[in-house]
Coordinates of all heavy atoms in Angstrom, one line a residue:
K184 N 14.4 16.7 2.8 CA 13.5 15.9 2.0 C 13.9 14.4 2.0 O 15.1 14.1 1.9 CB 13.3 16.4 0.6 CG 12.7 17.8 0.5 CD 12.4 18.1 -0.9 CE 11.6 19.4 -0.9 NZ 11.0 19.6 -2.2
L185 N 12.9 13.6 2.0 CA 13.1 12.1 1.9 C 13.0 11.7 0.5 O 12.2 12.1 -0.3 CB 12.1 11.4 2.8 CG 12.2 11.6 4.3 CD1 11.0 10.9 4.9 CD2 13.5 11.1 4.8
D186 N 13.9 10.7 0.1 CA 13.7 10.1 -1.2 C 12.5 9.1 -1.1 O 12.1 8.7 0.0 CB 15.0 9.4 -1.6 CG 15.4 8.3 -0.7 OD1 15.6 8.5 0.5 OD2 15.5 7.1 -1.2
P187 N 12.0 8.6 -2.2 CA 10.8 7.8 -2.1 C 10.9 6.5 -1.3 O 10.0 6.1 -0.6 CB 10.5 7.5 -3.6 CG 11.1 8.6 -4.3 CD 12.3 9.0 -3.6
L188 N 12.0 5.8 -1.4 CA 12.2 4.6 -0.7 C 12.3 4.9 0.8 O 11.7 4.2 1.6 CB 13.4 3.8 -1.1 CG 13.6 2.4 -0.5 CD1 12.4 1.6 -0.8 CD2 14.9 1.8 -1.1
S189 N 13.0 5.9 1.2 CA 13.0 6.3 2.7 C 11.7 6.7 3.2 O 11.3 6.3 4.3 CB 14.0 7.5 2.9 OG 15.3 7.1 2.5
Y190 N 10.9 7.4 2.4 CA 9.5 7.8 2.8 C 8.7 6.5 3.0 O 8.0 6.4 4.0 CB 8.9 8.7 1.7 CG 7.5 9.0 2.0 CD1 7.1 9.9 2.9 CD2 6.4 8.3 1.3 CE1 5.7 10.2 3.2 CE2 5.1 8.5 1.6 CZ 4.8 9.5 2.5 OH 3.5 9.7 2.8
T191 N 8.8 5.6 2.1 CA 8.0 4.3 2.2 C 8.4 3.6 3.4 O 7.6 3.1 4.2 CB 8.2 3.5 0.9 OG1 7.8 4.3 -0.2 CG2 7.4 2.2 1.0
L192 N 9.7 3.5 3.7 CA 10.2 2.8 4.9 C 9.8 3.5 6.2 O 9.7 2.9 7.2 CB 11.7 2.6 4.8 CG 12.2 1.6 3.7 CD1 13.7 1.6 3.6 CD2 11.7 0.3 4.0
F193 N 9.6 4.9 6.1 CA 9.2 5.6 7.2 C 7.8 5.4 7.5 O 7.3 5.4 8.7 CB 9.6 7.1 7.0 CG 9.2 8.0 8.1 CD1 9.9 8.0 9.3 CD2 8.1 8.9 7.9 CE1 9.5 8.9 10.3 CE2 7.7 9.7 9.0 CZ 8.4 9.7 10.1
V194 N 6.9 5.3 6.5 CA 5.5 5.2 6.7 C 5.0 3.8 6.9 O 4.0 3.5 7.6 CB 4.8 5.8 5.4 CG1 3.3 5.6 5.4 CG2 5.1 7.3 5.3
A195 N 5.8 2.8 6.4 CA 5.4 1.4 6.5 C 5.1 0.9 8.0 O 4.1 0.2 8.2 CB 6.4 0.5 5.8
P196 N 5.9 1.2 9.0 CA 5.6 0.8 10.3 C 4.3 1.3 10.9 O 3.6 0.6 11.6 CB 6.8 1.2 11.1 CG 7.9 1.4 10.2 CD 7.3 1.8 8.9
T197 N 4.0 2.5 10.5 CA 2.7 3.1 11.0 C 1.5 2.3 10.3 O 0.5 2.0 11.0 CB 2.6 4.6 10.6 OG1 3.7 5.2 11.1 CG2 1.3 5.2 11.1
C198 N 1.6 2.0 9.1 CA 0.6 1.2 8.4 C 0.5 -0.2 9.0 O -0.6 -0.7 9.2 CB 0.9 1.1 6.9 SG 0.8 2.7 6.0
L199 N 1.6 -0.8 9.3 CA 1.6 -2.1 9.9 C 0.9 -2.1 11.2 O 0.2 -3.0 11.5 CB 3.1 -2.6 10.0 CG 3.2 -4.0 10.7 CD1 2.5 -5.1 9.9 CD2 4.6 -4.3 11.0
L200 N 1.2 -1.1 12.0 CA 0.5 -1.0 13.3 C -1.0 -0.9 13.2 O -1.7 -1.6 13.9 CB 1.1 0.3 14.1 CG 0.5 0.5 15.5 CD1 0.9 -0.6 16.4 CD2 1.0 1.8 16.0
V201 N -1.5 -0.1 12.3 CA -2.9 0.1 12.1 C -3.5 -1.3 11.6 O -4.6 -1.7 12.1 CB -3.2 1.2 11.1 CG1 -4.6 1.2 10.6 CG2 -2.8 2.5 11.6
L202 N -2.8 -1.9 10.7 CA -3.3 -3.2 10.2 C -3.3 -4.3 11.3 O -4.2 -5.1 11.3 CB -2.5 -3.7 9.0 CG -2.7 -2.8 7.7 CD1 -1.7 -3.3 6.7 CD2 -4.1 -3.0 7.2
L203 N -2.3 -4.3 12.2 CA -2.2 -5.3 13.2 C -3.4 -5.0 14.2 O -3.9 -6.0 14.7 CB -0.9 -5.2 13.9 CG 0.3 -5.8 13.2 CD1 1.6 -5.6 14.0 CD2 0.1 -7.3 12.9
V204 N -3.7 -3.8 14.5 CA -4.8 -3.5 15.4 C -6.1 -4.0 14.8 O -6.9 -4.7 15.5 CB -4.9 -2.0 15.7 CG1 -6.2 -1.7 16.4 CG2 -3.7 -1.6 16.6
G205 N -6.3 -3.7 13.5 CA -7.5 -4.2 12.9 C -7.6 -5.7 12.8 O -8.6 -6.3 12.9
N206 N -6.4 -6.3 12.6 CA -6.4 -7.8 12.6 C -6.7 -8.4 13.9 O -7.3 -9.4 14.0 CB -5.0 -8.3 12.1 CG -5.0 -9.7 11.7 OD1 -6.0 -10.3 11.6 ND2 -3.8 -10.2 11.4
A207 N -6.2 -7.8 15.0 CA -6.4 -8.3 16.3 C -7.9 -8.2 16.7 O -8.4 -9.1 17.4 CB -5.6 -7.5 17.4
V208 N -8.6 -7.1 16.2 CA -10.0 -7.0 16.5 C -10.8 -8.0 15.8 O -11.8 -8.5 16.3 CB -10.4 -5.5 16.2 CG1 -11.9 -5.3 16.2 CG2 -9.7 -4.5 17.1
T209 N -10.5 -8.3 14.6 CA -11.3 -9.2 13.7 C -10.7 -10.6 13.5 O -11.1 -11.3 12.6 CB -11.5 -8.5 12.4 OG1 -10.3 -8.4 11.7 CG2 -12.2 -7.2 12.5
W210 N -9.8 -11.0 14.4 CA -9.1 -12.3 14.2 C -10.1 -13.5 14.2 O -11.0 -13.6 15.0 CB -8.1 -12.5 15.4 CG -7.4 -13.8 15.2 CD1 -7.5 -14.9 15.9 CD2 -6.3 -14.0 14.2 NE1 -6.7 -15.9 15.4 CE2 -5.9 -15.3 14.4 CE3 -5.7 -13.2 13.3 CZ2 -4.9 -15.9 13.6 CZ3 -4.7 -13.8 12.5 CH2 -4.3 -15.1 12.7
D211 N -9.8 -14.4 13.3 CA -10.6 -15.6 13.1 C -9.5 -16.7 13.0 O -8.6 -16.6 12.3 CB -11.4 -15.5 11.9 CG -12.3 -16.8 11.7 OD1 -12.4 -17.6 12.6 OD2 -12.8 -17.0 10.5
P212 N -9.7 -17.8 13.8 CA -8.7 -18.9 13.7 C -8.5 -19.5 12.3 O -7.6 -20.2 12.0 CB -9.3 -20.0 14.7 CG -10.2 -19.2 15.6 CD -10.7 -18.1 14.8
A213 N -9.5 -19.3 11.4 CA -9.3 -19.8 10.0 C -8.4 -19.0 9.2 O -8.1 -19.4 8.0 CB -10.7 -19.9 9.4
I214 N -7.9 -17.9 9.6 CA -7.1 -17.0 8.8 C -5.8 -17.7 8.4 O -5.4 -17.6 7.2 CB -6.8 -15.7 9.6 CG1 -8.1 -14.9 9.6 CG2 -5.7 -14.9 8.9 CD1 -8.0 -13.6 10.4
P215 N -5.0 -18.4 9.3 CA -3.8 -19.0 8.8 C -4.0 -20.1 7.7 O -3.2 -20.2 6.8 CB -3.2 -19.7 10.1 CG -3.8 -18.9 11.2 CD -5.1 -18.5 10.8
A216 N -5.1 -20.8 7.8 CA -5.4 -21.8 6.8 C -5.7 -21.1 5.5 O -5.3 -21.6 4.4 CB -6.6 -22.7 7.2
S217 N -6.5 -20.0 5.5 CA -6.8 -19.3 4.3 C -5.5 -18.7 3.7 O -5.4 -18.6 2.5 CB -7.8 -18.1 4.6 OG -9.0 -18.7 5.0
L218 N -4.6 -18.2 4.6 CA -3.3 -17.6 4.1 C -2.5 -18.7 3.4 O -2.0 -18.4 2.3 CB -2.5 -17.1 5.3 CG -1.1 -16.5 4.9 CD1 -1.3 -15.3 4.0 CD2 -0.4 -16.2 6.2
A219 N -2.5 -19.9 3.9 CA -1.8 -21.0 3.3 C -2.4 -21.3 1.9 O -1.7 -21.7 1.0 CB -1.8 -22.2 4.2
H220 N -3.7 -21.2 1.8 CA -4.3 -21.5 0.5 C -4.1 -20.3 -0.5 O -4.0 -20.6 -1.7 CB -5.8 -21.7 0.7 CG -6.6 -21.9 -0.5 ND1 -6.5 -23.1 -1.2 CD2 -7.5 -21.1 -1.2 CE1 -7.3 -23.0 -2.3 NE2 -7.9 -21.8 -2.3
W221 N -4.2 -19.1 -0.1 CA -4.2 -17.9 -1.0 C -2.8 -17.2 -1.1 O -2.8 -16.2 -1.8 CB -5.2 -16.9 -0.5 CG -6.6 -17.3 -0.7 CD1 -7.4 -17.8 0.2 CD2 -7.4 -17.3 -1.9 NE1 -8.7 -18.1 -0.3 CE2 -8.6 -17.8 -1.6 CE3 -7.1 -16.9 -3.2 CZ2 -9.6 -17.9 -2.6 CZ3 -8.0 -17.0 -4.2 CH2 -9.3 -17.5 -3.9
W222 N -1.8 -17.8 -0.6 CA -0.5 -17.1 -0.6 C 0.0 -16.8 -2.0 O 0.7 -15.7 -2.2 CB 0.6 -17.8 0.2 CG 1.1 -19.0 -0.4 CD1 0.7 -20.3 -0.3 CD2 2.2 -19.1 -1.3 NE1 1.5 -21.1 -1.0 CE2 2.4 -20.4 -1.7 CE3 3.1 -18.1 -1.9 CZ2 3.4 -20.8 -2.6 CZ3 4.0 -18.5 -2.8 CH2 4.2 -19.8 -3.1
P223 N -0.2 -17.6 -3.0 CA 0.2 -17.2 -4.4 C -0.4 -15.9 -4.9 O 0.1 -15.3 -5.8 CB -0.1 -18.4 -5.2 CG -0.4 -19.5 -4.3 CD -0.8 -18.9 -3.0
Y224 N -1.5 -15.5 -4.4 CA -2.2 -14.3 -4.8 C -1.8 -13.1 -3.8 O -1.8 -12.0 -4.3 CB -3.7 -14.5 -4.8 CG -4.2 -15.5 -5.7 CD1 -4.5 -16.8 -5.3 CD2 -4.2 -15.3 -7.1 CE1 -4.9 -17.8 -6.2 CE2 -4.6 -16.3 -8.0 CZ -5.0 -17.5 -7.5 OH -5.4 -18.5 -8.4
I225 N -1.6 -13.4 -2.6 CA -1.3 -12.4 -1.6 C 0.1 -11.8 -1.8 O 0.3 -10.6 -1.7 CB -1.5 -12.9 -0.2 CG1 -3.0 -13.2 0.1 CG2 -1.0 -12.0 0.9 CD1 -3.4 -13.9 1.4
L226 N 1.0 -12.7 -2.1 CA 2.4 -12.2 -2.2 C 2.6 -11.2 -3.4 O 3.1 -10.1 -3.2 CB 3.4 -13.4 -2.4 CG 4.8 -13.0 -2.4 CD1 5.3 -12.4 -1.1 CD2 5.6 -14.3 -2.7
P227 N 2.1 -11.5 -4.6 CA 2.2 -10.5 -5.7 C 1.4 -9.2 -5.4 O 1.8 -8.1 -5.7 CB 1.7 -11.2 -6.9 CG 1.6 -12.6 -6.6 CD 1.6 -12.8 -5.1
N228 N 0.3 -9.4 -4.7 CA -0.5 -8.2 -4.3 C 0.3 -7.3 -3.4 O 0.3 -6.1 -3.5 CB -1.8 -8.7 -3.7 CG -2.8 -7.6 -3.4 OD1 -2.6 -6.4 -3.9 ND2 -3.8 -7.8 -2.7
A229 N 1.0 -7.9 -2.4 CA 1.8 -7.1 -1.4 C 2.9 -6.4 -2.1 O 3.2 -5.3 -1.9 CB 2.3 -8.0 -0.3
L230 N 3.6 -7.1 -3.1 CA 4.7 -6.5 -3.8 C 4.2 -5.4 -4.7 O 4.8 -4.3 -4.8 CB 5.4 -7.6 -4.6 CG 6.2 -8.6 -3.8 CD1 6.7 -9.7 -4.8 CD2 7.3 -8.0 -3.1
L231 N 3.0 -5.6 -5.3 CA 2.5 -4.5 -6.1 C 2.1 -3.3 -5.3 O 2.3 -2.1 -5.7 CB 1.2 -5.0 -6.9 CG 0.7 -4.2 -8.0 CD1 1.7 -3.9 -9.1 CD2 -0.6 -4.8 -8.6
A232 N 1.6 -3.5 -4.1 CA 1.2 -2.4 -3.2 C 2.5 -1.7 -2.8 O 2.5 -0.4 -2.7 CB 0.5 -2.9 -2.0
F233 N 3.6 -2.4 -2.5 CA 4.8 -1.7 -2.2 C 5.4 -0.9 -3.3 O 5.7 0.3 -3.1 CB 5.9 -2.8 -1.8 CG 7.2 -2.3 -1.4 CD1 7.4 -1.6 -0.2 CD2 8.3 -2.4 -2.3 CE1 8.7 -1.1 0.1 CE2 9.5 -1.9 -2.0 CZ 9.7 -1.3 -0.8
V234 N 5.3 -1.4 -4.5 CA 5.8 -0.6 -5.7 C 4.9 0.6 -5.9 O 5.4 1.7 -6.2 CB 5.8 -1.5 -6.9 CG1 6.0 -0.7 -8.2 CG2 6.9 -2.6 -6.8
L235 N 3.6 0.4 -5.7 CA 2.7 1.6 -5.8 C 3.0 2.7 -4.8 O 3.0 3.8 -5.1 CB 1.2 1.1 -5.7 CG 0.1 2.2 -5.8 CD1 0.2 2.8 -7.2 CD2 -1.2 1.6 -5.4
N236 N 3.3 2.3 -3.6 CA 3.7 3.3 -2.6 C 4.9 4.0 -2.9 O 5.0 5.2 -2.7 CB 3.8 2.6 -1.2 CG 2.5 2.3 -0.5 OD1 1.5 2.9 -0.8 ND2 2.5 1.3 0.3
I237 N 5.9 3.3 -3.5 CA 7.1 4.0 -3.9 C 6.8 4.9 -5.1 O 7.3 6.1 -5.2 CB 8.2 3.0 -4.3 CG1 8.7 2.3 -3.0 CG2 9.4 3.6 -5.0 CD1 9.6 1.1 -3.3
L238 N 6.0 4.5 -6.0 CA 5.6 5.4 -7.2 C 4.9 6.6 -6.7 O 5.1 7.7 -7.3 CB 4.8 4.6 -8.2 CG 5.6 3.5 -9.0 CD1 4.6 2.7 -9.9 CD2 6.6 4.2 -9.8
V239 N 4.0 6.5 -5.8 CA 3.2 7.6 -5.3 C 4.2 8.6 -4.6 O 4.1 9.8 -4.9 CB 2.1 7.2 -4.3 CG1 1.6 8.4 -3.5 CG2 1.0 6.5 -5.1
A240 N 5.1 8.1 -3.8 CA 6.1 9.0 -3.2 C 7.0 9.7 -4.3 O 7.3 10.9 -4.1 CB 7.0 8.2 -2.2
S241 N 7.4 9.0 -5.3 CA 8.2 9.5 -6.4 C 7.4 10.6 -7.1 O 8.0 11.7 -7.4 CB 8.6 8.5 -7.4 OG 9.4 7.5 -6.8
I242 N 6.2 10.4 -7.4 CA 5.4 11.4 -8.1 C 5.1 12.6 -7.3 O 5.2 13.7 -7.8 CB 4.0 10.7 -8.6 CG1 4.3 9.7 -9.7 CG2 3.1 11.8 -9.1 CD1 3.1 8.9 -10.1
I243 N 4.8 12.4 -6.0 CA 4.7 13.6 -5.1 C 5.9 14.4 -5.1 O 5.9 15.6 -5.1 CB 4.2 13.2 -3.8 CG1 2.7 12.7 -3.9 CG2 4.3 14.3 -2.8 CD1 2.2 12.1 -2.6
K244 N 7.1 13.7 -5.0 CA 8.4 14.4 -5.0 C 8.6 15.2 -6.3 O 9.1 16.4 -6.2 CB 9.5 13.5 -4.8 CG 10.9 14.1 -4.6 CD 11.9 13.1 -4.4 CE 13.3 13.7 -4.3 NZ 14.4 12.8 -4.2
E245 N 8.2 14.7 -7.4 CA 8.5 15.3 -8.7 C 7.5 16.4 -9.0 O 7.9 17.5 -9.5 CB 8.5 14.3 -9.8 CG 9.6 13.3 -9.7 CD 11.0 13.9 -9.9 OE1 11.2 14.9 -10.7 OE2 11.9 13.5 -9.2
I246 N 6.2 16.2 -8.8 CA 5.3 17.2 -9.3 C 4.5 17.9 -8.1 O 3.6 18.7 -8.4 CB 4.2 16.6 -10.2 CG1 3.4 15.5 -9.5 CG2 4.9 16.0 -11.4 CD1 2.2 15.0 -10.3
S247 N 4.8 17.7 -6.9 CA 4.2 18.3 -5.7 C 2.9 17.6 -5.4 O 2.3 16.9 -6.2 CB 4.0 19.8 -5.8 OG 2.8 20.1 -6.6
A248 N 2.5 17.8 -4.1 CA 1.3 17.1 -3.7 C 0.0 17.7 -4.4 O -0.9 16.9 -4.7 CB 1.1 17.3 -2.2
V249 N 0.0 19.0 -4.7 CA -1.1 19.6 -5.4 C -1.2 19.0 -6.8 O -2.3 18.6 -7.3 CB -1.0 21.1 -5.5 CG1 -2.1 21.7 -6.3 CG2 -1.0 21.7 -4.1
G250 N -0.1 18.8 -7.5 CA -0.2 18.2 -8.8 C -0.6 16.7 -8.7 O -1.4 16.3 -9.6
F251 N -0.3 16.0 -7.7 CA -0.7 14.6 -7.5 C -2.2 14.6 -7.3 O -2.9 13.8 -7.9 CB 0.0 14.0 -6.3 CG -0.4 12.6 -6.1 CD1 0.0 11.6 -6.9 CD2 -1.1 12.3 -5.0 CE1 -0.3 10.3 -6.7 CE2 -1.5 11.0 -4.7 CZ -1.1 10.0 -5.6
I252 N -2.7 15.5 -6.5 CA -4.2 15.5 -6.3 C -4.9 15.9 -7.5 O -6.0 15.3 -7.9 CB -4.5 16.6 -5.1 CG1 -3.9 16.1 -3.8 CG2 -6.0 16.8 -5.0 CD1 -4.4 14.8 -3.3
L253 N -4.4 16.9 -8.3 CA -5.1 17.3 -9.5 C -5.0 16.1 -10.6 O -6.0 15.9 -11.3 CB -4.4 18.5 -10.1 CG -4.7 19.8 -9.4 CD1 -3.8 20.9 -10.0 CD2 -6.1 20.1 -9.4
A254 N -4.0 15.4 -10.6 CA -3.9 14.2 -11.5 C -4.9 13.2 -11.1 O -5.6 12.5 -11.9 CB -2.5 13.6 -11.5
G255 N -5.1 13.0 -9.8 CA -6.1 12.0 -9.3 C -7.5 12.5 -9.6 O -8.4 11.7 -10.0
V256 N -7.8 13.8 -9.5 CA -9.1 14.3 -9.9 C -9.4 14.1 -11.4 O -10.5 13.7 -11.8 CB -9.2 15.8 -9.5 CG1 -10.5 16.4 -10.0 CG2 -9.2 15.9 -7.9
C257 N -8.4 14.4 -12.2 CA -8.5 14.2 -13.6 C -8.8 12.8 -14.0 O -9.6 12.4 -14.8 CB -7.3 14.7 -14.4 SG -7.1 16.5 -14.3
K258 N -8.1 11.9 -13.3 CA -8.3 10.4 -13.5 C -9.7 10.0 -13.1 O -10.4 9.3 -13.9 CB -7.3 9.6 -12.7 CG -7.5 8.1 -12.8 CD -6.7 7.4 -11.7 CE -7.4 7.7 -10.4 NZ -7.4 6.7 -9.4
D259 N -10.2 10.5 -12.0 CA -11.6 10.2 -11.6 C -12.6 10.7 -12.6 O -13.6 10.0 -12.9 CB -11.8 10.8 -10.2 CG -11.0 10.1 -9.1 OD1 -10.5 9.0 -9.4 OD2 -10.9 10.6 -8.0
I260 N -12.3 11.9 -13.1 CA -13.3 12.5 -14.1 C -13.3 11.6 -15.3 O -14.3 11.4 -15.9 CB -12.9 14.0 -14.4 CG1 -13.2 14.8 -13.2 CG2 -13.6 14.5 -15.6 CD1 -12.7 16.2 -13.3
A261 N -12.1 11.2 -15.8 CA -12.0 10.4 -17.0 C -12.7 9.0 -16.8 O -13.3 8.5 -17.7 CB -10.5 10.2 -17.3
I262 N -12.6 8.5 -15.6 CA -13.2 7.2 -15.3 C -14.8 7.3 -15.3 O -15.5 6.4 -15.9 CB -12.8 6.6 -13.9 CG1 -11.3 6.2 -14.0 CG2 -13.6 5.5 -13.5 CD1 -10.7 5.8 -12.7
V263 N -15.3 8.4 -14.8 CA -16.7 8.6 -14.7 C -17.2 9.0 -16.1 O -18.1 8.5 -16.7 CB -17.1 9.6 -13.7 CG1 -18.6 10.0 -13.7 CG2 -16.8 9.1 -12.3

């Protein structure tokens, strides 16, 4: 079994590959300029996404995948 950080480091390159393909398909030359303008918002967002991935892996390790899905269903029911 993998610990949460190892799992995240194992999955991250696959996610990067998918995002790079999508970026190559929809590339616009204005993207670097927008990145320079929005970087104070993009950096915390990326860090928060990384922490969320680690938390998801930790929760799945502790309560199993079925428990994680059931918790998600209960959350969706509570939201609606």
Side-chain angles (χ1 to χ4, degrees):
K184 290 190 173 193
L185 295 174
D186 63 301
L188 188 56
S189 297
Y190 173 79
T191 302
L192 292 174
F193 179 71
V194 173
T197 306
C198 295
L199 178 64
L200 181 66
V201 170
L202 290 172
L203 286 177
V204 169
N206 195 10
V208 170
T209 61
W210 181 256
D211 182 15
I214 290 174
S217 294
L218 177 66
H220 176 73
W221 289 100
W222 76 266
Y224 300 102
I225 292 173
L226 184 63
N228 188 12
L230 292 174
L231 190 61
F233 178 74
V234 170
L235 179 63
N236 284 335
I237 290 176
L238 287 175
V239 166
S241 298
I242 291 171
I243 290 174
K244 181 179 178 183
E245 293 297 321
I246 64 170
S247 81
V249 175
F251 179 72
I252 296 298
L253 288 174
V256 170
C257 291
K258 177 195 70 151
D259 292 342
I260 290 170
I262 289 174
V263 172

